[in-house]
Amino acid sequence: MKIFNLWYFPARLAWRQLIHDKPKLVAATSGVLFACVLVFMQLGFKDSLYTSAASMPLKLDGDLFLIHQQSEALWRTVQFERSELMRALGHPAVTEVAPLYLSLASFKNINTHVKRTLMVYGFDPDMELLNVNSLKELKYPLRIKDTVVFDELSRPEFGPVGELIQSGQDRTEVNDYKVKIIGLFQLGISFAADGNLVASDLNFMRIFPEREINKIDIGVVRLQPGASVQQVQSELREHLNEFVKVYSYEQIRDHERRYWENVAPIGFIFDFGTVMGLVVGMVIVYQILFTEITNYRFEFATLKAMGYEHHYFIRVVFSSALILAILGFIPGLLLSNSLYDLAESQIFLPMTMTLNKIITVFAFILLMCIVAGFLAIHRLKSANPADMF
Amino acid sequence: MIIDVNNLKFSFGSGTLTQPVLNGVNLAIQKGEIVLMTGPSGSGKTTMLTIIGGLRQASNGSVVILGEQLVNSNELAKVKIRRQTGYIFQQHNLLKSLTALQNVCMTLEMYQDLTEHERQDRAQRILAAVGLEDHLHYFPEALSGGQRQRVSIARALAGQPKIILADEPTASLDRQSGHDAVEILKRLAKESNTTILLVTHDYRILNIADRVVELEDGVVKAV
């Protein structure tokens, strides 16, 4: 009870002082709200970047993956010999291996004839390297010469491909090569590519005549059920050439994620944005607390003369900071949530409001307000009753 | 002896700029006494009051309040005296974001042993005693000057202090409300046998005092 009162009374005074001047309270909470929305958006974009960057590796259906050690990211791979992948077949636990070919290509919008870059995946349709049902259903038609499947989650700039192929307009050019779109699948865009296209390995070679069937981008390895992925992974590492990296499913996902986090400055940009949002918010809260103390210093001095001790006023200041944090966070969360929905519907980036994100941002905002409180309490020294009466 | 000041000296500034204010003040006040202190402005009345109230640190002489030596004392001793002292300021010094009732409760919130209900009850009773039972939930800006000063008297008395220190409580009030305010203060103080030291140059209220002293040139003279 005593501990409770220790905080209850100062918090109540802080609350009464804050709500007494409503226009100022609105201004103060808008400051926190602003910081809150800024941080939510930065984290949202960052997360969306990572999830979308990993959307392709997430759909990969395999146990182990071979890539060239110089491959920084899956959209800019260094090719290696297909024979290297075939050597993995020598391991008794390996049941099948399959090459995956990747390349960026221009795709001609059927209506406007504007060319835009997307990612083309090439693999043997029977191998079903991407775990997407609509692709598996199309594996037989995909074998036909010059056919492709289009990702319906691609950006709208590629044209209303779904409607067009229904009305029979299913011919376009990819990398200036005429193809027929025979269906749609769902993968999702990333920061590397605005759209996706799947072709059989043979059609891939037709679209990209400069590519060779023996130079592959990713090697997918499948193991016998029950085989230890970790053990096979370390054994394959010993058998294969040094320039080939053997990754598990999680590792190739993290490899891609790390690229965007560290190698590409994009991760840094969003972190920087987050920090700047918090700094701006902190300065705003500090300013508010500082003027609060300045305005109320006569009252604080009066209370001091009545027998209130210094730590009481420190608690008043921190309570104000906490109240502002909560009052700003709630509308900030609601606004950010609608902005996430807006971003998803308008710019087609996956933005999800997770509990984890809510907790993280609240912790940030709380920390921001507490730091502002620490900076502001020195102003309390000006409330000295002897100098005022 | 509730207040016992002996040879108190105090000066502002240091070095050649030293400005002596109190030059050996002696003052003794008994329990229940109402003492008015007058004197020309700048004679150190307020300074003396802030030293007695534990708001200002003195380093020369002796100031014993309720048995506690305040000269060269630590913060703890001063806080202890502040809590047993009701201060009435020249301006009402009410908290503008709190209602009359909440303002009076601020005195009681320092005492952890009361429940919210007991605090409200006590504050209500004391506000009724100063004639403000119909204004419990008014904010200070909605009250007249005399009403504000009466809330401030209620606030000072709510903690049942042993001493009331008042610094020109009537200075910002008209004659009638000033007179009413000190009359109420006197009545309530006499009921609870509270000691009052009241600084004023308002000669219209001298009649409430048991004793009047004058502070001039830094020393106390009996009138």
Side-chain angles (χ1 to χ4, degrees):
Chain A
M1 193 62 193
K2 217 167 172 180
I3 304 258
F4 173 74
N5 281 344
L6 216 54
W7 278 99
Y8 175 68
F9 291 131
R12 188 167 68 173
L13 180 62
W15 171 250
R16 284 170 174 170
Q17 287 182 336
L18 282 172
I19 59 165
H20 189 68
D21 191 351
K22 291 196 178 63
K24 214 157 89 198
L25 179 66
V26 170
T29 41
S30 331
V32 180
L33 183 145
F34 167 77
C36 191
V37 170
L38 211 59
V39 173
F40 261 123
M41 292 322 282
Q42 297 293 333
L43 289 183
F45 284 133
K46 192 168 109 169
D47 267 18
S48 138
L49 160 78
Y50 295 153
T51 38
S52 60
S55 60
M56 195 280 281
L58 270 177
K59 289 283 168 36
L60 280 175
D61 186 8
D63 298 308
L64 288 171
F65 304 88
L66 307 189
I67 62 168
H68 195 284
Q69 64 167 359
Q70 289 175 347
S71 288
E72 270 193 307
L74 298 186
W75 66 279
R76 45 190 300 180
T77 50
V78 174
Q79 280 114 40
F80 63 98
E81 294 291 329
R82 182 183 177 150
S83 57
E84 203 57 35
L85 174 63
M86 294 306 160
R87 287 175 63 191
L89 271 176
H91 193 285
V94 174
T95 52
E96 52 187 1
V97 298
L100 177 61
Y101 304 94
L102 300 172
S103 186
L104 292 169
S106 63
F107 177 94
K108 191 186 204 172
N109 184 320
I110 298 171
N111 283 339
T112 64
H113 294 216
V114 173
K115 288 178 178 174
R116 208 177 161 94
T117 304
L118 47 51
M119 178 68 83
V120 184
Y121 300 91
F123 55 87
D124 180 354
D126 286 340
M127 293 305 293
E128 300 178 350
L129 291 191
L130 288 178
N131 199 2
V132 180
N133 281 333
S134 43
L135 264 183
K136 293 179 182 173
E137 287 161 14
L138 288 166
K139 68 178 181 179
Y140 299 118
L142 261 176
R143 289 185 199 158
I144 301 165
K145 183 171 179 281
D146 300 341
T147 55
V148 294
V149 182
F150 182 80
D151 180 4
E152 64 176 336
L153 300 178
S154 302
R155 285 187 60 89
E157 283 81 353
F158 292 103
V161 176
E163 294 167 27
L164 287 170
I165 56 173
Q166 286 213 325
S167 64
Q169 287 176 275
D170 52 4
R171 311 267 169 174
T172 188
E173 288 171 20
V174 177
N175 202 22
D176 299 330
Y177 183 82
K178 280 201 172 62
V179 293
K180 181 183 177 192
I181 305 168
I182 55 160
L184 300 172
F185 74 108
Q186 302 81 32
L187 187 61
I189 57 167
S190 69
F191 278 68
D194 290 340
N196 301 298
L197 209 60
V198 165
S200 70
D201 45 353
L202 296 177
N203 283 328
F204 185 91
M205 294 306 147
R206 292 186 181 109
I207 295 169
F208 302 100
E210 73 282 3
R211 289 288 300 258
E212 290 171 43
I213 199 97
N214 283 327
K215 291 282 191 184
I216 70 172
D217 295 283
I218 301 177
V220 181
V221 176
R222 290 193 179 126
L223 305 181
Q224 271 168 359
S228 158
V229 174
Q230 233 180 334
Q231 194 190 340
V232 177
Q233 186 183 12
S234 60
E235 284 166 9
L236 279 182
R237 271 193 191 132
E238 283 173 31
H239 285 111
L240 300 179
N241 270 320
E242 280 176 347
F243 61 79
V244 174
K245 276 198 171 148
V246 184
Y247 279 142
S248 68
Y249 178 78
E250 289 78 20
Q251 283 168 331
I252 195 161
R253 198 188 59 201
D254 292 346
H255 174 85
E256 188 70 0
R257 202 191 151 96
R258 254 199 316 280
Y259 168 80
W260 293 106
E261 268 182 43
N262 303 331
V263 183
I266 293 172
F268 171 76
I269 288 168
F270 291 118
D271 289 343
F272 187 73
T274 305
V275 171
M276 287 319 285
L278 289 172
V279 168
V280 170
M282 193 196 70
V283 171
I284 294 172
V285 175
Y286 167 73
Q287 278 293 336
I288 292 159
L289 293 176
F290 189 89
T291 41
E292 282 286 295
I293 297 171
T294 308
N295 292 341
Y296 285 115
R297 71 188 196 285
F298 254 100
E299 302 193 352
F300 287 163
T302 303
L303 291 174
K304 232 176 202 174
M306 285 162 59
Y308 280 91
E309 290 169 78
H310 190 67
H311 57 74
Y312 178 86
F313 305 105
I314 292 175
R315 280 196 278 270
V316 172
V317 173
F318 279 111
S319 301
S320 302
L322 191 72
I323 292 168
L324 289 178
I326 294 169
L327 286 186
F329 180 78
I330 294 168
L333 172 63
L334 297 177
L335 183 59
S336 305
N337 204 15
S338 351
L339 286 174
Y340 274 24
D341 290 344
L342 192 71
E344 263 190 340
S345 60
Q346 295 302 310
I347 53 176
F348 301 96
L349 279 174
M351 305 268 274
T352 43
M353 185 63 80
T354 58
L355 184 65
N356 206 345
K357 214 176 281 173
I358 294 172
I359 293 170
T360 309
V361 175
F362 186 66
F364 275 152
I365 295 293
L366 207 58
L367 188 74
M368 173 188 98
C369 288
I370 288 171
V371 172
F374 268 111
L375 293 176
I377 49 173
H378 76 93
R379 182 69 185 152
L380 277 177
K381 293 206 180 81
S382 68
N384 182 5
D387 298 337
M388 293 193 153
F389 309 126
Chain B
M1 208 64 75
I2 296 284
I3 295 174
D4 194 1
V5 180
N6 270 304
N7 197 24
L8 171 66
K9 289 179 183 157
F10 190 85
S11 47
F12 286 109
S14 57
T16 53
L17 293 174
T18 303
Q19 181 70 44
V21 181
L22 304 174
N23 303 311
V25 173
N26 296 304
L27 180 67
I29 302 178
Q30 308 276 358
K31 186 169 172 60
E33 238 187 327
I34 298 180
V35 176
L36 254 68
M37 186 157 62
T38 63
S41 55
S43 60
K45 302 186 298 290
T46 299
T47 306
M48 177 144 169
L49 211 60
T50 53
I51 292 172
I52 291 173
L55 304 182
R56 193 185 288 283
Q57 180 75 65
S59 53
N60 220 317
S62 158
V63 178
V64 179
I65 311 294
L66 302 166
E68 192 90 29
Q69 176 61 259
L70 283 182
V71 172
N72 292 321
S73 62
N74 58 15
E75 184 72 13
L76 209 69
K78 288 204 287 278
V79 167
K80 202 172 143 196
I81 291 306
R82 287 177 203 167
R83 290 193 171 193
Q84 298 182 75
T85 308
Y87 223 106
I88 298 168
F89 305 87
Q90 187 166 353
Q91 306 296 323
H92 54 85
N93 282 21
L94 295 174
L95 275 59
K96 66 174 187 288
S97 41
L98 303 188
T99 63
L101 188 69
Q102 289 166 347
N103 261 292
V104 176
C105 281
M106 285 308 290
T107 304
L108 302 170
E109 281 174 16
M110 278 184 288
Y111 307 103
Q112 305 277 341
D113 48 341
L114 292 175
T115 66
E116 178 77 16
H117 184 76
E118 285 169 337
R119 278 193 299 270
Q120 300 256 340
D121 206 48
R122 241 166 98 172
Q124 248 172 53
R125 265 186 286 128
I126 192 107
L127 277 167
V130 298
L132 288 173
E133 59 271 45
D134 299 330
H135 295 80
L136 297 180
H137 304 296
Y138 282 57
F139 285 100
E141 60 197 6
L143 295 171
S144 71
Q147 288 169 330
R148 287 178 203 166
Q149 199 57 293
R150 277 187 277 157
V151 176
S152 141
I153 289 169
R155 180 175 67 178
L157 287 166
Q160 297 170 339
K162 302 211 169 53
I163 305 171
I164 295 276
L165 300 175
D167 187 4
E168 311 215 20
T170 58
S172 54
L173 301 181
D174 60 70
R175 205 188 69 82
Q176 189 56 44
S177 38
H179 195 79
D180 290 350
V182 288
E183 272 305 326
I184 289 167
L185 180 61
K186 180 183 175 178
R187 175 168 54 83
L188 295 174
K190 283 295 174 195
E191 278 171 21
S192 55
N193 205 17
T194 308
T195 310
I196 297 182
L197 176 58
L198 193 153
V199 162
T200 188
H201 347 258
D202 188 351
Y203 290 95
R204 299 167 303 196
I205 60 169
L206 292 184
N207 57 336
I208 69 151
D210 297 329
R211 180 150 67 97
V212 177
V213 295
E214 190 173 3
L215 190 67
E216 204 175 347
D217 300 328
V219 289
V220 164
K221 296 168 185 166
V223 175

